[in-house]
Amino acid sequence: MFIQTLITEPIHFFRIIVIVIFSITLHELAHGWAAMSQGDNTPQQTGHLTLNPVVHMGKESLIFLCLMGIAWGQMPVNPSKFRSGKLGNILVSAAGPLSNLALGILFIVLLKLFFNPSLSGVLSVEFLYLAARINLTLFLFNLLPIPPLDGFHVFSEIFPQLKALQYTQFGLFAMMLLFIIPGFGIGLGSIADLFIRSGLGM
């Protein structure tokens, strides 16, 4: 389990925890800000326009992150309040993954600016690379057209026939299958690695 990393690689463990919490918090806030821009004040009414990760992730998600290295978040929105209906749902759903893409690109830029193999601390090469990799992986994962992921809400607006899957066990089965498939996470990470290396001109 991921918690074993705390004993074998404690610095790596805490880096992942900090990066994932930061990234998911901004991911959920991006949904909230996008919803507000579409006329839905639900995020504000429910107190979710905050940087407090407990509000966005919940204690269960934070505990699961420390134990298994897997976490999730939530942002309450009301699509019926969106000014532009279908387009609003696409924009709000896409805002989360796009925030992770933006963070990934930002960390790649910081890598290029502060690239120094001997540098240690918060802006070390290892930390910045890991932050870029995690955010790009989150971007790719959340774009999968599987409920309840953001990608499903985007693609189901473009292809309405997919909406019926939201009310079936397909999403749960597909998510379980993805986590069972050997190397699925590694595959997404490898794609992220390629993106980072191309960004660094390596």
Side-chain angles (χ1 to χ4, degrees):
M1 288 198 302
F2 176 68
I3 189 65
Q4 295 173 332
T5 311
L6 178 59
I7 299 173
T8 58
E9 299 178 88
I11 294 178
H12 185 67
F13 175 87
F14 285 111
R15 280 175 175 166
I16 290 177
I17 296 296
V18 169
I19 293 168
V20 170
I21 289 176
F22 173 75
S23 302
I24 289 181
T25 297
L26 289 191
H27 175 110
E28 298 305 333
L29 277 173
H31 285 310
W33 291 328
M36 293 286 290
S37 74
Q38 287 298 306
D40 176 21
N41 62 350
T42 303
Q44 185 178 41
Q45 287 183 327
T46 57
H48 276 71
L49 292 183
T50 173
L51 287 171
N52 184 351
V54 178
V55 172
H56 298 294
M57 299 176 65
K59 295 178 181 178
E60 296 83 0
S61 177
L62 291 169
I63 292 172
F64 211 71
L65 171 61
C66 294
L67 292 176
M68 305 296 294
I70 301 171
W72 58 90
Q74 61 176 350
M75 173 60 69
V77 298
N78 186 350
S80 66
K81 293 184 177 181
F82 295 164
R83 279 193 297 268
S84 49
K86 179 181 289 191
L87 178 60
N89 200 21
I90 291 174
L91 291 174
V92 174
S93 298
L98 289 177
S99 73
N100 293 124
L101 176 61
L103 284 172
I105 294 172
L106 173 63
F107 285 118
I108 292 174
V109 171
L110 290 175
L111 262 175
K112 297 189 75 168
L113 292 176
F114 295 100
F115 188 80
N116 184 348
S118 63
L119 192 67
S120 60
V122 175
L123 290 179
S124 66
V125 170
E126 292 81 5
F127 180 86
L128 294 175
Y129 192 99
L130 185 62
R133 192 175 195 267
I134 286 175
N135 273 282
L136 292 175
T137 301
L138 286 172
F139 166 70
L140 293 170
F141 178 73
N142 277 287
L143 278 186
L144 294 175
I146 299 172
L149 298 178
D150 299 318
F152 174 79
H153 295 289
V154 173
F155 285 105
S156 64
E157 291 294 345
I158 300 172
F159 306 103
Q161 58 268 32
L162 294 176
K163 284 184 178 291
L165 296 176
Q166 187 173 357
Y167 307 103
T168 69
Q169 296 298 315
F170 168 77
L172 178 62
F173 175 77
M175 293 287 282
M176 290 177 61
L177 190 61
L178 289 180
F179 286 112
I180 292 174
I181 295 175
F184 172 72
I186 296 174
L188 289 181
S190 296
I191 296 173
D193 286 332
L194 288 174
F195 193 91
I196 295 171
R197 287 170 185 162
S198 64
L200 294 174
M202 297 172 64

